[in-house]
Amino acid sequence: MNFAVGFKPLLGDAHNMDNLEKQLICPICLEMFSKPVVILPCQHNLCRKCANDVFQKHEVVLDRHGVYGLQRNLLVENIIDIYKQESSRPLHSKAEQHLMCEEHEDEKINIYCLSCEVPTCSLCKVFGAHKDCEVAPLPTIYKRQKSELSDGIAMLVAGNDRVQAVITQMEEVCQTIEDNSRRQKQLLNQRFETLCAVLEERKGELLQALAREQEEKLQRVRGLIRQYGDHLEASSKLVESAIQSMEEPQMALYLQQAKELINKVGAMSKVELAGRPEPGYESMEQFSVSVEHVAEMLRTIDFQPGDAGDEEDDEVALDGEEGNAGLEEERLDGPEGLH
């Protein structure tokens, strides 16, 4: 079914006010934003009441301030005040615009064919291609599908907040890994500075082992951050696309693309992301060393799992002189041979 669009002429000022009004509609309640307007971490705006409803429905964990801790968008609130003062018409008055049936030029598109899933006109149902199809009033289907898309958007917004919280936590894990590694390197250097030249070679070997472990952990966590970030970016773009679609004032035009958007939103909300690092993954305590000033046994020094930094608990792992050569080769293979 092809349609032709008929428009009544609009004054320039009325058209501008109409466009402004579209930008001031909350994507959840589909009404003009009510004060105070809050800014989500994804930079979208919602009424505070709508934000609170969404977070409660999807059990989003906030800090002790709840939605009152979210930043208010004072600029949007001021624009709403100015708009209400300047506007002398109802908030949702729209220019009369109707899709016209191409097969019956004088007929408006006023029903929805449930069988073919397309908007159509009454004459098409009575005499035309949809006479044997099941139909429903256009506003009924419009409200139903718009409600589905609104619920999907709300779920994605809540999901994006959770993903952002996970990314923040993993960035903190990366920082902790770097801090712990830096601290352990400093301890290692302080102890090796008291030793003679024979210690320098072994120090380099232990530092390399620590650096390899650090790099492996950082690569894993950063890989997870990239994966979560890619999902967040794709989800945010889909939210923006869905919000733009919901701003379409024409029911028929909206319904032509709503089904695909609803399917995309549903699929995106079901995507499962990889798990986070296990608790204690950022710890580097296993790279602690203890030193005794015994030059003949320097090459047997190894990392000691347990409490790092307790000088009184430091012990030197001593092996017999006969086994020194074989153990040296095993320790060069990495952290697996250091325990």
Side-chain angles (χ1 to χ4, degrees):
M1 175 72 64
N2 296 321
F3 311 116
V5 183
F7 295 96
K8 289 190 175 181
L10 293 172
L11 295 176
D13 290 342
H15 180 69
N16 292 335
M17 293 294 285
D18 215 30
N19 287 338
L20 175 60
E21 183 179 345
K22 293 177 183 178
Q23 305 303 318
L24 302 177
I25 299 300
C26 174
I28 301 301
C29 64
L30 305 181
E31 300 290 342
M32 182 170 290
F33 288 117
S34 62
K35 288 199 260 185
V37 181
V38 297
I39 305 176
L40 301 179
C42 58
Q43 302 304 307
H44 289 106
N45 295 292
L46 293 178
C47 306
R48 177 180 286 172
K49 181 180 182 302
C50 293
N52 188 58
D53 293 341
V54 168
F55 292 156
Q56 288 183 354
K57 179 178 179 181
H58 298 285
E59 300 182 353
V60 176
V61 178
L62 299 175
D63 60 20
R64 60 189 179 86
H65 299 291
V67 294
Y68 294 91
L70 296 175
Q71 180 180 356
R72 290 178 58 179
N73 195 331
L74 299 179
L75 176 60
V76 171
E77 293 183 19
N78 291 336
I79 292 174
I80 292 174
D81 289 340
I82 296 173
Y83 173 85
K84 290 180 177 179
Q85 293 174 5
E86 295 295 330
S87 177
S88 59
R89 58 183 176 79
L91 289 178
H92 293 289
S93 64
K94 302 290 182 183
E96 294 185 7
Q97 303 174 359
H98 299 286
L99 283 175
M100 311 302 290
C101 179
E102 191 172 82
E103 296 182 13
H104 308 95
E105 297 181 355
D106 296 331
E107 287 295 318
K108 299 175 182 177
I109 303 302
N110 57 0
I111 59 176
Y112 185 83
C113 178
L114 298 176
S115 302
C116 303
E117 296 187 339
V118 294
T120 185
C121 75
S122 300
L123 290 183
C124 286
K125 168 59 180 172
V126 178
F127 305 107
H130 301 282
K131 62 182 179 180
D132 297 323
C133 299
E134 182 181 357
V135 298
L138 198 64
T140 300
I141 306 302
Y142 170 81
K143 292 179 180 178
R144 179 191 306 168
Q145 294 197 10
K146 204 157 190 177
S147 175
E148 291 179 11
L149 187 55
S150 177
D151 291 342
I153 290 174
M155 292 180 64
L156 280 182
V157 169
N160 287 349
D161 291 340
R162 291 193 294 271
V163 171
Q164 182 61 57
V166 171
I167 289 176
T168 300
Q169 291 175 357
M170 289 194 293
E171 287 174 343
E172 293 175 354
V173 169
C174 280
Q175 184 62 48
T176 303
I177 291 174
E178 292 175 343
D179 292 343
N180 288 344
S181 297
R182 183 167 51 251
R183 183 172 60 253
Q184 292 304 112
K185 289 177 183 179
Q186 290 172 352
L187 290 173
L188 199 61
N189 283 320
Q190 289 172 2
R191 292 171 181 176
F192 271 93
E193 285 173 358
T194 64
L195 303 179
C196 60
V198 69
L199 267 177
E200 294 299 324
E201 180 181 359
R202 188 57 182 162
K203 179 181 70 173
E205 296 167 356
L206 296 179
L207 285 173
Q208 288 178 5
L210 192 153
R212 283 196 298 271
E213 180 73 3
Q214 174 191 348
E215 186 61 25
E216 289 175 3
K217 289 189 175 184
L218 288 176
Q219 284 182 357
R220 179 189 173 193
V221 178
R222 285 170 176 163
L224 289 173
I225 290 177
R226 285 193 296 271
Q227 180 182 351
Y228 276 73
D230 291 343
H231 176 79
L232 179 61
E233 180 180 0
S235 180
S236 297
K237 288 181 179 179
L238 183 56
V239 170
E240 292 176 0
S241 176
I243 290 176
Q244 290 177 358
S245 174
M246 293 190 65
E247 294 174 352
E248 172 57 51
Q250 286 302 308
M251 291 184 288
L253 287 176
Y254 168 80
L255 291 174
Q256 286 179 332
Q257 58 185 353
K259 194 68 177 180
E260 181 180 358
L261 276 174
I262 292 172
N263 291 336
K264 288 182 178 180
V265 167
M268 181 66 72
S269 63
K270 296 177 182 178
V271 172
E272 295 184 359
L273 298 175
R276 288 172 278 174
E278 58 274 19
Y281 181 76
E282 66 274 18
S283 175
M284 304 295 286
E285 298 297 323
Q286 69 270 30
F287 289 95
S288 175
V289 298
S290 60
V291 178
E292 288 289 345
H293 302 290
V294 181
E296 295 80 8
M297 299 178 181
L298 287 178
R299 293 190 180 276
T300 65
I301 297 174
D302 211 333
F303 290 111
Q304 299 295 306
D307 296 331
D310 293 338
E311 295 288 339
E312 63 276 12
D313 294 334
D314 289 345
E315 296 180 358
V316 177
L318 303 180
D319 295 318
E321 294 181 359
E322 297 178 356
N324 284 348
L327 291 175
E328 184 64 20
E329 293 178 357
E330 294 179 1
R331 292 192 183 95
L332 292 178
D333 293 336
E336 296 81 5
L338 298 180
H339 303 294

